[in-house]
Amino acid sequence: MLTAEYDSAIAQRMQDQHRELAARWFERLLALVPVQAPDIFPSAALLDHIPELIVQISGYLRDPAEHAISANTAVLDKARELGDLRHVQRASLHQVLREYQILWVVLSTFVVEQTEGLGSEAPPGGVATLLQRLQGAVNVLSQATVETFVGLYTATIREQAQRLEEFTRLAAHEWRQPLSTLQVGLAVIRHPNVEADRSARMWEVVDRNLRQLIDVTQKLEAVTRLRDLGDTPLVQTISLTTVAQEAARQLRDMADAKSVELVVQDAMPEVTLDVGRLELVLLNLLSNGIKYADPRKEERRVEVTAAPSPDGGCRLAVRDNGVGIPEHALNTVFRRFTRAHVDRPDLSGVPGLGLGLAIVDDCVDALGATIAVESAEGLGTTFLVSLPATQG
Ligand code: ADP
């Protein structure tokens, strides 16, 4: 048998059996992947890619000049898609490399087996050349996958680093202001000649600023707790009016200080869900409505309403007539450490870390609900929470 005939025969068999080979690859992978990591497990989506890659590799084995893998944009795109997919599935780099290593083992074993099947017909040295070619093809593909994969991770890390930097800036600002007020307030109180009413006023200032520090700290704790630990939900059947009234009660002082009226609709539907999370959602949305009230408007309002939705769930709305959110920021306000009014000097005094809506988003997710925002600058903002029919 001539070398070209041999190459072609093995390549043809590989092509004919590409699905079985992909299944073999998958089985070996299954044995390796830790069971406790189902979210990074290569899913059916990945299985769509591998058979296709095997077909392309077989074409290259048959005719490396015509099917040069490094020049085949379609197959390189497939390999890059794989990198993208594994990034979305949060696989590790080690795992991606392992997958290609397994592909190499499965395909090279196949080539050796098929060659042995040909017995003395196989040309001398044919298998060595073919394996070398195979190795080259797998390397090119794995490089394309890994480059995409690492590129995406690098971008994610860069973005996270930027957000962390921004957080440090905001957190320092957020803590510095009440801390220096506390320092000044305590110095006044300690002064031997301070008048009684001045001292009383200062105690109030101290109290308010301490509460602000506690609030910031609690928000930070809430973010880590919600994301990383996942707590034990307390599922109850409760009227939305009761939960919203409780949230409004907790924020009464804050609303009074900014002359904002809090209105809770009577007789809203009952829901069965994790009440703690729903309360956190309402507390954050209502307090934002108060914080971003429009000082130029005579009547400032934040209103909670709800109505049953056609799917058996319920639609909760928190509507304010505040300053509104600029359109360009509507898509990003739910991200951690993101603030939408950084270019508004008149709002620079509004305290915040850009965490409230991220907490809301986490809670909404955990409730199996969804959230949307509608806003117009100068007119106001509405947050719409669609709660599912029941929450087990
Ligand atoms: P912050 O601590 O800055 O208030 P949030 O995550 O609660 O953080 O909100 C993110 C940003 O979205 C805010 O900084 C603000 O610019 C904007 N925002 C949120 N809610 C409202 C609202 N009801 N009205 C106007 N802007 C809002």
Side-chain angles (χ1 to χ4, degrees), residues 219 284-285 288-289 291-292 320 323-325 333 335 338-341 351-358 381 383:
K219 274 198 172 154
N284 279 290
L285 294 181
N288 277 355
K291 279 191 335 189
Y292 301 102
D320 65 58
V323 295
I325 301 175
V333 282
R335 289 192 197 153
T338 306
R339 307 200 73 195
H341 294 107
L353 281 173
L355 280 177
L357 290 181
T381 305
F383 286 94

PDB file of all heavy atoms in Angstrom, residues 219 284-285 288-289 291-292 320 323-325 333 335 338-341 351-358 381 383, ligand 1:
ATOM      1  N   LYS A 219     -24.555  46.501  53.901  1.00  0.00           N
ATOM      2  CA  LYS A 219     -24.727  46.249  52.463  1.00  0.00           C
ATOM      3  C   LYS A 219     -23.593  45.379  51.942  1.00  0.00           C
ATOM      4  O   LYS A 219     -23.806  44.443  51.177  1.00  0.00           O
ATOM      5  CB  LYS A 219     -24.751  47.572  51.702  1.00  0.00           C
ATOM      6  CG  LYS A 219     -26.131  48.148  51.677  1.00  0.00           C
ATOM      7  CD  LYS A 219     -26.278  49.175  50.607  1.00  0.00           C
ATOM      8  CE  LYS A 219     -27.739  49.559  50.512  1.00  0.00           C
ATOM      9  NZ  LYS A 219     -27.951  50.878  49.998  1.00  0.00           N
ATOM     10  N   ASN A 284     -34.149  48.248  49.324  1.00  0.00           N
ATOM     11  CA  ASN A 284     -33.187  48.901  48.426  1.00  0.00           C
ATOM     12  C   ASN A 284     -33.886  49.763  47.393  1.00  0.00           C
ATOM     13  O   ASN A 284     -33.440  50.879  47.106  1.00  0.00           O
ATOM     14  CB  ASN A 284     -32.303  47.865  47.747  1.00  0.00           C
ATOM     15  CG  ASN A 284     -31.174  47.427  48.657  1.00  0.00           C
ATOM     16  OD1 ASN A 284     -30.255  48.192  48.921  1.00  0.00           O
ATOM     17  ND2 ASN A 284     -31.250  46.224  49.169  1.00  0.00           N
ATOM     18  N   LEU A 285     -34.985  49.266  46.814  1.00  0.00           N
ATOM     19  CA  LEU A 285     -35.666  50.057  45.780  1.00  0.00           C
ATOM     20  C   LEU A 285     -36.298  51.309  46.393  1.00  0.00           C
ATOM     21  O   LEU A 285     -36.214  52.400  45.829  1.00  0.00           O
ATOM     22  CB  LEU A 285     -36.729  49.210  45.068  1.00  0.00           C
ATOM     23  CG  LEU A 285     -36.196  48.041  44.236  1.00  0.00           C
ATOM     24  CD1 LEU A 285     -37.339  47.300  43.551  1.00  0.00           C
ATOM     25  CD2 LEU A 285     -35.186  48.517  43.183  1.00  0.00           C
ATOM     26  N   ASN A 288     -33.607  53.826  47.339  1.00  0.00           N
ATOM     27  CA  ASN A 288     -33.123  54.534  46.151  1.00  0.00           C
ATOM     28  C   ASN A 288     -34.110  55.605  45.707  1.00  0.00           C
ATOM     29  O   ASN A 288     -33.717  56.707  45.330  1.00  0.00           O
ATOM     30  CB  ASN A 288     -32.892  53.559  44.994  1.00  0.00           C
ATOM     31  CG  ASN A 288     -31.542  52.885  45.078  1.00  0.00           C
ATOM     32  OD1 ASN A 288     -30.743  53.214  45.943  1.00  0.00           O
ATOM     33  ND2 ASN A 288     -31.294  51.930  44.215  1.00  0.00           N
ATOM     34  N   GLY A 289     -35.393  55.253  45.756  1.00  0.00           N
ATOM     35  CA  GLY A 289     -36.427  56.229  45.392  1.00  0.00           C
ATOM     36  C   GLY A 289     -36.302  57.482  46.260  1.00  0.00           C
ATOM     37  O   GLY A 289     -36.486  58.601  45.781  1.00  0.00           O
ATOM     38  N   LYS A 291     -33.435  58.393  47.997  1.00  0.00           N
ATOM     39  CA  LYS A 291     -32.114  59.020  47.771  1.00  0.00           C
ATOM     40  C   LYS A 291     -32.097  59.859  46.498  1.00  0.00           C
ATOM     41  O   LYS A 291     -31.484  60.914  46.440  1.00  0.00           O
ATOM     42  CB  LYS A 291     -31.033  57.930  47.635  1.00  0.00           C
ATOM     43  CG  LYS A 291     -30.573  57.414  48.956  1.00  0.00           C
ATOM     44  CD  LYS A 291     -29.330  56.535  48.939  1.00  0.00           C
ATOM     45  CE  LYS A 291     -28.958  55.775  47.735  1.00  0.00           C
ATOM     46  NZ  LYS A 291     -27.874  54.821  47.947  1.00  0.00           N
ATOM     47  N   TYR A 292     -32.736  59.333  45.454  1.00  0.00           N
ATOM     48  CA  TYR A 292     -32.675  60.023  44.165  1.00  0.00           C
ATOM     49  C   TYR A 292     -33.952  60.810  43.879  1.00  0.00           C
ATOM     50  O   TYR A 292     -34.348  61.003  42.736  1.00  0.00           O
ATOM     51  CB  TYR A 292     -32.347  59.024  43.046  1.00  0.00           C
ATOM     52  CG  TYR A 292     -31.021  58.353  43.322  1.00  0.00           C
ATOM     53  CD1 TYR A 292     -30.963  57.067  43.842  1.00  0.00           C
ATOM     54  CD2 TYR A 292     -29.821  59.042  43.136  1.00  0.00           C
ATOM     55  CE1 TYR A 292     -29.743  56.471  44.164  1.00  0.00           C
ATOM     56  CE2 TYR A 292     -28.608  58.466  43.455  1.00  0.00           C
ATOM     57  CZ  TYR A 292     -28.578  57.171  43.965  1.00  0.00           C
ATOM     58  OH  TYR A 292     -27.375  56.606  44.285  1.00  0.00           O
ATOM     59  N   ASP A 320     -41.054  56.044  41.274  1.00  0.00           N
ATOM     60  CA  ASP A 320     -40.794  57.339  41.923  1.00  0.00           C
ATOM     61  C   ASP A 320     -40.846  58.453  40.886  1.00  0.00           C
ATOM     62  O   ASP A 320     -40.817  58.196  39.687  1.00  0.00           O
ATOM     63  CB  ASP A 320     -39.429  57.308  42.646  1.00  0.00           C
ATOM     64  CG  ASP A 320     -38.249  57.162  41.706  1.00  0.00           C
ATOM     65  OD1 ASP A 320     -38.076  58.015  40.815  1.00  0.00           O
ATOM     66  OD2 ASP A 320     -37.481  56.180  41.852  1.00  0.00           O
ATOM     67  N   VAL A 323     -35.128  61.932  40.061  1.00  0.00           N
ATOM     68  CA  VAL A 323     -34.297  62.530  39.009  1.00  0.00           C
ATOM     69  C   VAL A 323     -34.194  61.660  37.749  1.00  0.00           C
ATOM     70  O   VAL A 323     -33.783  62.132  36.700  1.00  0.00           O
ATOM     71  CB  VAL A 323     -32.863  62.825  39.521  1.00  0.00           C
ATOM     72  CG1 VAL A 323     -32.886  63.891  40.601  1.00  0.00           C
ATOM     73  CG2 VAL A 323     -32.183  61.552  40.023  1.00  0.00           C
ATOM     74  N   GLY A 324     -34.557  60.366  37.875  1.00  0.00           N
ATOM     75  CA  GLY A 324     -34.463  59.475  36.714  1.00  0.00           C
ATOM     76  C   GLY A 324     -33.042  58.976  36.495  1.00  0.00           C
ATOM     77  O   GLY A 324     -32.087  59.478  37.096  1.00  0.00           O
ATOM     78  N   ILE A 325     -32.926  57.976  35.639  1.00  0.00           N
ATOM     79  CA  ILE A 325     -31.607  57.377  35.338  1.00  0.00           C
ATOM     80  C   ILE A 325     -31.276  57.694  33.885  1.00  0.00           C
ATOM     81  O   ILE A 325     -32.126  57.494  33.008  1.00  0.00           O
ATOM     82  CB  ILE A 325     -31.640  55.845  35.541  1.00  0.00           C
ATOM     83  CG1 ILE A 325     -32.040  55.521  36.988  1.00  0.00           C
ATOM     84  CG2 ILE A 325     -30.302  55.198  35.199  1.00  0.00           C
ATOM     85  CD1 ILE A 325     -32.218  54.044  37.280  1.00  0.00           C
ATOM     86  N   VAL A 333     -26.903  49.611  35.651  1.00  0.00           N
ATOM     87  CA  VAL A 333     -27.132  49.959  37.063  1.00  0.00           C
ATOM     88  C   VAL A 333     -27.200  48.757  37.993  1.00  0.00           C
ATOM     89  O   VAL A 333     -26.971  48.901  39.194  1.00  0.00           O
ATOM     90  CB  VAL A 333     -28.401  50.819  37.269  1.00  0.00           C
ATOM     91  CG1 VAL A 333     -28.158  52.265  36.886  1.00  0.00           C
ATOM     92  CG2 VAL A 333     -29.586  50.243  36.561  1.00  0.00           C
ATOM     93  N   ARG A 335     -25.172  46.291  37.971  1.00  0.00           N
ATOM     94  CA  ARG A 335     -23.834  45.739  38.238  1.00  0.00           C
ATOM     95  C   ARG A 335     -23.316  46.273  39.563  1.00  0.00           C
ATOM     96  O   ARG A 335     -23.603  47.404  39.932  1.00  0.00           O
ATOM     97  CB  ARG A 335     -22.860  46.172  37.143  1.00  0.00           C
ATOM     98  CG  ARG A 335     -23.135  45.483  35.855  1.00  0.00           C
ATOM     99  CD  ARG A 335     -21.956  45.734  34.947  1.00  0.00           C
ATOM    100  NE  ARG A 335     -22.301  45.456  33.586  1.00  0.00           N
ATOM    101  CZ  ARG A 335     -21.729  46.035  32.551  1.00  0.00           C
ATOM    102  NH1 ARG A 335     -20.796  46.955  32.721  1.00  0.00           N
ATOM    103  NH2 ARG A 335     -22.089  45.714  31.333  1.00  0.00           N
ATOM    104  N   THR A 338     -21.612  50.099  40.540  1.00  0.00           N
ATOM    105  CA  THR A 338     -21.896  50.989  39.415  1.00  0.00           C
ATOM    106  C   THR A 338     -22.863  52.069  39.854  1.00  0.00           C
ATOM    107  O   THR A 338     -23.923  51.783  40.404  1.00  0.00           O
ATOM    108  CB  THR A 338     -22.523  50.184  38.253  1.00  0.00           C
ATOM    109  OG1 THR A 338     -21.651  49.108  37.958  1.00  0.00           O
ATOM    110  CG2 THR A 338     -22.697  51.044  37.027  1.00  0.00           C
ATOM    111  N   ARG A 339     -22.490  53.307  39.612  1.00  0.00           N
ATOM    112  CA  ARG A 339     -23.361  54.442  39.922  1.00  0.00           C
ATOM    113  C   ARG A 339     -23.650  55.179  38.622  1.00  0.00           C
ATOM    114  O   ARG A 339     -22.784  55.289  37.760  1.00  0.00           O
ATOM    115  CB  ARG A 339     -22.699  55.372  40.945  1.00  0.00           C
ATOM    116  CG  ARG A 339     -22.230  54.627  42.192  1.00  0.00           C
ATOM    117  CD  ARG A 339     -22.040  55.554  43.359  1.00  0.00           C
ATOM    118  NE  ARG A 339     -23.330  55.991  43.889  1.00  0.00           N
ATOM    119  CZ  ARG A 339     -23.473  57.021  44.718  1.00  0.00           C
ATOM    120  NH1 ARG A 339     -22.421  57.738  45.060  1.00  0.00           N
ATOM    121  NH2 ARG A 339     -24.671  57.352  45.175  1.00  0.00           N
ATOM    122  N   ALA A 340     -24.882  55.688  38.507  1.00  0.00           N
ATOM    123  CA  ALA A 340     -25.285  56.247  37.218  1.00  0.00           C
ATOM    124  C   ALA A 340     -25.153  57.766  37.139  1.00  0.00           C
ATOM    125  O   ALA A 340     -25.242  58.342  36.068  1.00  0.00           O
ATOM    126  CB  ALA A 340     -26.727  55.851  36.932  1.00  0.00           C
ATOM    127  N   HIS A 341     -24.944  58.420  38.286  1.00  0.00           N
ATOM    128  CA  HIS A 341     -24.957  59.885  38.251  1.00  0.00           C
ATOM    129  C   HIS A 341     -23.596  60.503  38.552  1.00  0.00           C
ATOM    130  O   HIS A 341     -23.529  61.597  39.101  1.00  0.00           O
ATOM    131  CB  HIS A 341     -25.996  60.408  39.251  1.00  0.00           C
ATOM    132  CG  HIS A 341     -27.394  60.036  38.867  1.00  0.00           C
ATOM    133  ND1 HIS A 341     -28.105  59.069  39.531  1.00  0.00           N
ATOM    134  CD2 HIS A 341     -28.184  60.483  37.875  1.00  0.00           C
ATOM    135  CE1 HIS A 341     -29.299  58.943  38.967  1.00  0.00           C
ATOM    136  NE2 HIS A 341     -29.372  59.778  37.960  1.00  0.00           N
ATOM    137  N   PRO A 351     -25.150  59.563  49.164  1.00  0.00           N
ATOM    138  CA  PRO A 351     -24.246  58.472  49.534  1.00  0.00           C
ATOM    139  C   PRO A 351     -24.610  57.182  48.804  1.00  0.00           C
ATOM    140  O   PRO A 351     -25.768  56.947  48.471  1.00  0.00           O
ATOM    141  CB  PRO A 351     -24.497  58.306  51.046  1.00  0.00           C
ATOM    142  CG  PRO A 351     -25.859  58.859  51.272  1.00  0.00           C
ATOM    143  CD  PRO A 351     -26.100  59.905  50.229  1.00  0.00           C
ATOM    144  N   GLY A 352     -23.625  56.380  48.537  1.00  0.00           N
ATOM    145  CA  GLY A 352     -23.902  55.094  47.883  1.00  0.00           C
ATOM    146  C   GLY A 352     -22.636  54.448  47.388  1.00  0.00           C
ATOM    147  O   GLY A 352     -21.633  55.120  47.135  1.00  0.00           O
ATOM    148  N   LEU A 353     -22.681  53.127  47.294  1.00  0.00           N
ATOM    149  CA  LEU A 353     -21.518  52.363  46.831  1.00  0.00           C
ATOM    150  C   LEU A 353     -21.795  51.688  45.500  1.00  0.00           C
ATOM    151  O   LEU A 353     -20.972  50.953  44.992  1.00  0.00           O
ATOM    152  CB  LEU A 353     -21.194  51.269  47.847  1.00  0.00           C
ATOM    153  CG  LEU A 353     -20.439  51.665  49.091  1.00  0.00           C
ATOM    154  CD1 LEU A 353     -20.360  50.497  50.044  1.00  0.00           C
ATOM    155  CD2 LEU A 353     -19.040  52.121  48.721  1.00  0.00           C
ATOM    156  N   GLY A 354     -22.991  51.894  44.974  1.00  0.00           N
ATOM    157  CA  GLY A 354     -23.346  51.181  43.747  1.00  0.00           C
ATOM    158  C   GLY A 354     -23.567  49.709  44.021  1.00  0.00           C
ATOM    159  O   GLY A 354     -23.266  48.846  43.195  1.00  0.00           O
ATOM    160  N   LEU A 355     -24.078  49.397  45.215  1.00  0.00           N
ATOM    161  CA  LEU A 355     -24.298  47.992  45.568  1.00  0.00           C
ATOM    162  C   LEU A 355     -25.764  47.625  45.708  1.00  0.00           C
ATOM    163  O   LEU A 355     -26.133  46.459  45.590  1.00  0.00           O
ATOM    164  CB  LEU A 355     -23.604  47.685  46.900  1.00  0.00           C
ATOM    165  CG  LEU A 355     -22.113  47.441  46.835  1.00  0.00           C
ATOM    166  CD1 LEU A 355     -21.562  47.223  48.228  1.00  0.00           C
ATOM    167  CD2 LEU A 355     -21.800  46.240  45.965  1.00  0.00           C
ATOM    168  N   GLY A 356     -26.605  48.643  45.978  1.00  0.00           N
ATOM    169  CA  GLY A 356     -28.016  48.371  46.280  1.00  0.00           C
ATOM    170  C   GLY A 356     -28.696  47.550  45.195  1.00  0.00           C
ATOM    171  O   GLY A 356     -29.309  46.520  45.478  1.00  0.00           O
ATOM    172  N   LEU A 357     -28.555  47.978  43.956  1.00  0.00           N
ATOM    173  CA  LEU A 357     -29.254  47.269  42.871  1.00  0.00           C
ATOM    174  C   LEU A 357     -28.618  45.912  42.577  1.00  0.00           C
ATOM    175  O   LEU A 357     -29.296  45.006  42.098  1.00  0.00           O
ATOM    176  CB  LEU A 357     -29.305  48.135  41.611  1.00  0.00           C
ATOM    177  CG  LEU A 357     -30.229  49.359  41.701  1.00  0.00           C
ATOM    178  CD1 LEU A 357     -30.235  50.135  40.399  1.00  0.00           C
ATOM    179  CD2 LEU A 357     -31.658  48.951  42.056  1.00  0.00           C
ATOM    180  N   ALA A 358     -27.313  45.770  42.873  1.00  0.00           N
ATOM    181  CA  ALA A 358     -26.686  44.450  42.697  1.00  0.00           C
ATOM    182  C   ALA A 358     -27.281  43.478  43.713  1.00  0.00           C
ATOM    183  O   ALA A 358     -27.542  42.309  43.394  1.00  0.00           O
ATOM    184  CB  ALA A 358     -25.172  44.557  42.875  1.00  0.00           C
ATOM    185  N   THR A 381     -38.491  57.081  37.863  1.00  0.00           N
ATOM    186  CA  THR A 381     -38.029  55.718  37.581  1.00  0.00           C
ATOM    187  C   THR A 381     -39.042  54.710  38.104  1.00  0.00           C
ATOM    188  O   THR A 381     -39.629  54.920  39.158  1.00  0.00           O
ATOM    189  CB  THR A 381     -36.674  55.485  38.302  1.00  0.00           C
ATOM    190  OG1 THR A 381     -35.775  56.508  37.884  1.00  0.00           O
ATOM    191  CG2 THR A 381     -36.082  54.127  37.979  1.00  0.00           C
ATOM    192  N   PHE A 383     -39.199  50.515  38.849  1.00  0.00           N
ATOM    193  CA  PHE A 383     -38.627  49.167  38.842  1.00  0.00           C
ATOM    194  C   PHE A 383     -39.786  48.184  38.865  1.00  0.00           C
ATOM    195  O   PHE A 383     -40.691  48.310  39.695  1.00  0.00           O
ATOM    196  CB  PHE A 383     -37.729  48.956  40.063  1.00  0.00           C
ATOM    197  CG  PHE A 383     -36.422  49.688  39.943  1.00  0.00           C
ATOM    198  CD1 PHE A 383     -36.269  50.963  40.485  1.00  0.00           C
ATOM    199  CD2 PHE A 383     -35.355  49.125  39.279  1.00  0.00           C
ATOM    200  CE1 PHE A 383     -35.069  51.647  40.358  1.00  0.00           C
ATOM    201  CE2 PHE A 383     -34.147  49.796  39.147  1.00  0.00           C
ATOM    202  CZ  PHE A 383     -34.001  51.063  39.685  1.00  0.00           C
TER     203      PHE A 383
HETATM  204  P1  ADP B   1     -26.107  53.446  45.029  1.00  0.00           P
HETATM  205  O1  ADP B   1     -25.514  52.957  46.295  1.00  0.00           O
HETATM  206  O2  ADP B   1     -25.176  54.271  44.225  1.00  0.00           O
HETATM  207  O3  ADP B   1     -27.440  54.084  45.219  1.00  0.00           O
HETATM  208  P2  ADP B   1     -27.452  51.294  43.549  1.00  0.00           P
HETATM  209  O4  ADP B   1     -26.856  50.000  43.085  1.00  0.00           O
HETATM  210  O5  ADP B   1     -28.589  51.207  44.492  1.00  0.00           O
HETATM  211  O6  ADP B   1     -26.248  52.110  44.159  1.00  0.00           O
HETATM  212  O7  ADP B   1     -27.891  52.105  42.273  1.00  0.00           O
HETATM  213  C1  ADP B   1     -26.987  52.265  41.200  1.00  0.00           C
HETATM  214  C2  ADP B   1     -27.173  53.611  40.560  1.00  0.00           C
HETATM  215  O8  ADP B   1     -28.418  53.643  39.866  1.00  0.00           O
HETATM  216  C3  ADP B   1     -27.230  54.755  41.538  1.00  0.00           C
HETATM  217  O9  ADP B   1     -25.927  55.233  41.846  1.00  0.00           O
HETATM  218  C4  ADP B   1     -28.067  55.778  40.810  1.00  0.00           C
HETATM  219  O10 ADP B   1     -27.249  56.542  39.944  1.00  0.00           O
HETATM  220  C5  ADP B   1     -29.005  54.930  39.957  1.00  0.00           C
HETATM  221  N1  ADP B   1     -30.335  54.739  40.582  1.00  0.00           N
HETATM  222  C6  ADP B   1     -30.773  53.669  41.280  1.00  0.00           C
HETATM  223  N2  ADP B   1     -32.056  53.813  41.655  1.00  0.00           N
HETATM  224  C7  ADP B   1     -32.442  55.022  41.183  1.00  0.00           C
HETATM  225  C8  ADP B   1     -33.675  55.758  41.235  1.00  0.00           C
HETATM  226  N3  ADP B   1     -34.771  55.284  41.848  1.00  0.00           N
HETATM  227  N4  ADP B   1     -33.692  56.964  40.627  1.00  0.00           N
HETATM  228  C9  ADP B   1     -32.601  57.452  39.990  1.00  0.00           C
HETATM  229  N5  ADP B   1     -31.426  56.799  39.906  1.00  0.00           N
HETATM  230  C10 ADP B   1     -31.342  55.604  40.491  1.00  0.00           C
END
